[in-house]
Amino acid sequence: MVKEAVERVLSIRAEVDEAARRSGRSGRDVALVAVSKNHSVEAMKAFATAPIDGFGENRVQEAVEKRALWPDRGLPWRMIGHLQRNKVRKALAVFDSLDSLDSVDLALTLERVLAEEGRKLPALVEVKCSDDEAKTGLAPDGVEALLERIVTSCPHLSIEGLMTIGPLDGGERATRRAFSSLREQRGRLRERTGLALPHLSMGMSGDYLWAVEEGSTVLRIGTALFGRR
Ligand SMILES: *Cc1c(COP(=O)(O)O)cnc(C)c1O
């Protein structure tokens, strides 16, 4: 199981290297987060020695249960799903970063608990890439105000960039357009807020090579690593 897991990671890494080179970058600039939601701790452990950069989970309760079975803190665990404010304290006990910050209220709640605990949290702001009501994330026109609020009021949140989920059945053109528009928005936000925003988390099992070509620095890959959920 371990050998297969490592081989799957290496084969994705090789493709990512090539896609990064096509866009004038190096595969080393692209982090690979293994999305382990709905998979067991045993399945996750098979990846412990593979060249991945962390695990992604989208439900607090599931992550709490898994951490109890696997308290090892070697690889960072990232919260990639919508976080409810009443679960902030629980989430902070098991996650090392939040990729799905999507409101001022959530930022302020996080700030309060982080200040109390005396720690900083790396976070990405999740941006909705289409008008789809079912989609999570903040509408693009709300992102600047959120960043400004964080700069003035949330010293314990370290905003490292933006995250988006590509259109679910958008095809290549719509997907690339969503990813390139997030990259362009990052450029505008850099100028207007002065934040470096080094990271763009975009790209899942079905669209990660397009994402790399459009500038992704963090891939969140589940199915292509773990199989179907
Ligand atoms: C489930 C999930 C992924 C991984 O999706 P796959 O298509 O299985 O690679 C990535 N990002 C988020 C936010 C998810 O919820």
Side-chain angles (χ1 to χ4, degrees):
M1 210 159 97
V2 174
K3 187 155 169 280
E4 271 174 42
V6 172
E7 275 166 9
R8 248 173 273 154
V9 173
L10 290 176
S11 116
I12 290 177
R13 280 277 183 208
E15 290 177 301
V16 166
D17 277 347
E18 274 189 39
R21 244 176 279 133
R22 285 196 291 277
S23 64
R25 296 187 302 146
S26 155
R28 281 192 300 273
D29 303 335
V30 184
L32 181 52
V33 175
V35 176
S36 45
K37 65 186 190 199
N38 300 342
H39 289 285
S40 68
V41 163
E42 276 58 50
M44 294 168 74
K45 283 181 175 171
F47 290 88
T49 59
I52 60 169
D53 300 284
F55 292 106
E57 290 280 337
N58 71 339
R59 286 177 41 234
V60 175
Q61 190 52 37
E62 182 179 339
V64 167
E65 284 162 21
K66 287 178 177 178
R67 275 287 204 197
L69 298 170
W70 193 22
D72 179 73
R73 287 274 176 169
L75 282 165
W77 286 35
R78 302 168 68 126
M79 174 58 174
I80 62 172
H82 175 65
L83 178 58
Q84 289 168 275
R85 278 192 295 158
N86 61 5
K87 297 207 175 125
V88 159
R89 212 172 277 277
K90 255 183 155 179
L92 288 175
V94 293
F95 286 109
D96 301 290
S97 62
L98 172 68
D99 290 1
S100 46
L101 179 55
D102 58 3
S103 75
V104 171
D105 285 346
L106 177 59
L108 295 174
T109 302
L110 284 162
E111 172 60 27
R112 188 164 44 74
V113 180
L114 289 165
E116 220 176 274
E117 296 183 354
R119 69 183 258 223
K120 280 191 104 166
L121 185 78
L124 304 176
V125 172
E126 182 179 353
V127 184
K128 209 196 282 223
C129 75
S130 68
D131 297 333
D132 187 349
E133 278 299 314
K135 273 277 170 64
T136 55
L138 191 59
D141 61 9
V143 179
E144 187 178 341
L146 172 60
L147 292 180
E148 271 163 9
R149 189 66 192 270
I150 290 168
V151 167
T152 55
S153 316
C154 305
H156 295 84
L157 281 176
S158 167
I159 301 298
E160 309 204 317
L162 307 177
M163 183 273 243
T164 200
I165 299 174
L168 290 183
D169 40 26
E172 177 167 356
R173 266 192 54 194
T175 303
R176 282 186 184 272
R177 201 178 321 117
F179 292 158
S180 65
S181 87
L182 192 72
R183 188 188 64 232
E184 287 161 13
Q185 186 175 20
R186 189 260 302 263
R188 287 192 296 276
L189 290 166
R190 268 178 174 162
E191 283 179 18
R192 298 176 67 98
T193 65
L195 292 167
L197 305 175
H199 288 295
L200 286 177
S201 175
M202 48 193 204
M204 311 185 0
S205 293
D207 54 22
Y208 63 91
L209 294 178
W210 299 331
V212 171
E213 290 181 358
E214 300 296 345
S216 173
T217 67
V218 183
L219 303 173
R220 308 176 312 268
I221 300 188
T223 312
L225 288 174
F226 287 93
R228 294 180 61 168
R229 287 182 285 274

